[in-house]
Amino acid sequence: MACVKTTLALAALAIGCLASADPLATSEDPRELLFRTMDKSRWINFEAVVLRKNSSTERSFMQVKIAQKGGSSKTTVLSPLPVQGVTTIDDGRKWSTYIPDENRLLIQDSPKRHFRLRTEAAGHNYRFTSENLGSVAGRKAVTVLAVPKSPEMPTRRYWIDSEYALMLRMELIKEGGRRTVMMDTKAIEFRTVADDALTLNPSADVRRIILESPERFRTAEEAASQVGFKPSFPGPLPYGFIVAEPQIIGDKGERFVAIRLSDGLASATVY
């Protein structure tokens, strides 16, 4: 189950980093350019093979294939072997994940987007500069450097497609100049994807599981009525982090609290 959770998280990140916008001018303000790559309401058509890490401590990448058309995205895990073939489709309404080795199809509401909240936090916590043009997967890319105001946080470098404002690569730069690539596009083609490339084809006897959607709560008292205890909200947070989304998650019989934190570019969840 841990592998499945990791797969779901990485699929969401892959979709998030590759959802973007229209052609752009390379002279665009670096902050606004990066923010455009974070806007999940804007879509382009493409297919790509992407390497991703969920954490800077992970040694190996997960390789996924992403197909996107209009408001729908499909992410298929190519490697590693334990989660190979796990496929997620997000059409903006439903988020469906097929796990072939377990013959299960997980269905839940599409995750909600919090674009404005993230960009406001990122604008407060980072300074943005543009660097020289580079190249990723045969595409010209504008390089944007996000330098944190809190020295404890790593600097982030983004390679963004110079034509489509699409994030192609991201790396962390830690103390001493140590670099860790977190996301890298190996191949990409901008074209209209066929409709059948965005479908799931599970077996006829697949086990369908409907998952409860996360519910946002406003007060500790409101959460207590569902989870049986009164949760405590974090006090003042370091490094510019904010409470982005206090949620109740899990099935009806096993509800628990998830406090999602963000500084605009980095995120964490406290359960």
Side-chain angles (χ1 to χ4, degrees):
M1 190 62 183
C3 289
V4 172
K5 289 181 179 178
T6 299
T7 302
L8 294 175
L10 287 171
L13 284 168
I15 292 170
C17 285
L18 289 169
S20 189
D22 328 295
L24 66 127
T26 56
S27 60
E28 186 171 351
D29 177 82
R31 167 177 158 169
E32 296 305 317
L33 175 58
L34 179 60
F35 287 178
R36 284 227 277 159
T37 72
M38 297 163 60
D39 187 352
K40 311 301 190 303
S41 67
R42 307 167 75 184
W43 300 83
I44 56 176
N45 301 329
F46 70 89
E47 282 190 310
V49 175
V50 177
L51 301 179
R52 290 209 59 93
K53 288 181 180 178
N54 195 36
S55 166
S56 60
T57 61
E58 294 180 359
R59 293 186 177 182
S60 59
F61 287 95
M62 176 177 285
Q63 183 172 239
V64 298
K65 180 179 180 181
I66 301 173
Q68 182 170 288
K69 180 181 181 181
S72 297
S73 292
K74 179 180 180 180
T75 303
T76 304
V77 179
L78 304 178
S79 66
L81 187 60
V83 288
Q84 187 179 70
V86 174
T87 302
T88 298
I89 290 184
D90 184 357
D91 64 3
R93 299 181 303 276
K94 294 295 181 183
W95 193 20
S96 304
T97 300
Y98 178 48
I99 308 169
D101 287 352
E102 301 175 9
N103 197 27
R104 292 195 299 162
L105 180 62
L106 310 179
I107 303 171
Q108 63 188 111
D109 290 341
S110 180
K112 291 181 173 59
R113 317 299 186 185
H114 301 282
F115 174 64
R116 184 183 61 81
L117 191 65
R118 288 189 62 197
T119 56
E120 286 181 355
H124 178 73
N125 292 316
Y126 291 85
R127 299 181 182 91
F128 302 91
T129 59
S130 58
E131 299 181 320
N132 296 331
L133 285 172
S135 177
V136 178
R139 299 287 304 179
K140 291 182 179 179
V142 179
T143 308
V144 173
L145 199 66
V147 180
K149 296 179 182 178
S150 297
E152 296 85 356
M153 296 295 292
T155 294
R156 295 165 179 265
R157 179 178 281 121
Y158 301 87
W159 284 258
I160 300 171
D161 189 277
S162 63
E163 185 178 0
Y164 289 102
L166 188 79
M167 192 182 301
L168 299 175
R169 178 184 294 157
M170 190 274 276
E171 71 176 9
L172 301 180
I173 306 173
K174 298 185 178 180
E175 187 177 2
R178 292 182 294 111
R179 299 181 180 183
T180 302
V181 175
M182 299 297 294
M183 173 259 185
D184 196 11
T185 302
K186 305 309 295 181
I188 187 165
E189 184 177 1
F190 294 96
R191 64 182 182 86
T192 300
V193 180
D195 290 339
D196 58 5
L198 293 168
T199 59
L200 284 174
N201 297 295
S203 60
D205 61 343
V206 67
R207 186 157 61 99
R208 297 175 183 269
I209 301 173
I210 308 299
L211 300 177
E212 296 283 339
S213 298
E215 295 181 24
R216 182 184 177 92
F217 65 89
R218 298 183 182 279
T219 66
E221 290 75 14
E222 182 182 343
S225 65
Q226 296 196 51
V227 298
F229 68 94
K230 186 176 178 180
S232 297
F233 279 89
L237 297 171
Y239 316 139
F241 275 79
I242 60 171
V243 176
E245 189 74 6
Q247 295 180 332
I248 297 172
I249 62 177
D251 295 329
K252 289 183 178 180
E254 298 179 348
R255 305 289 271 172
F256 56 98
V257 172
I259 307 294
R260 307 196 186 280
L261 312 174
S262 178
D263 74 344
L265 301 182
S267 60
T269 303
V270 179
Y271 295 99

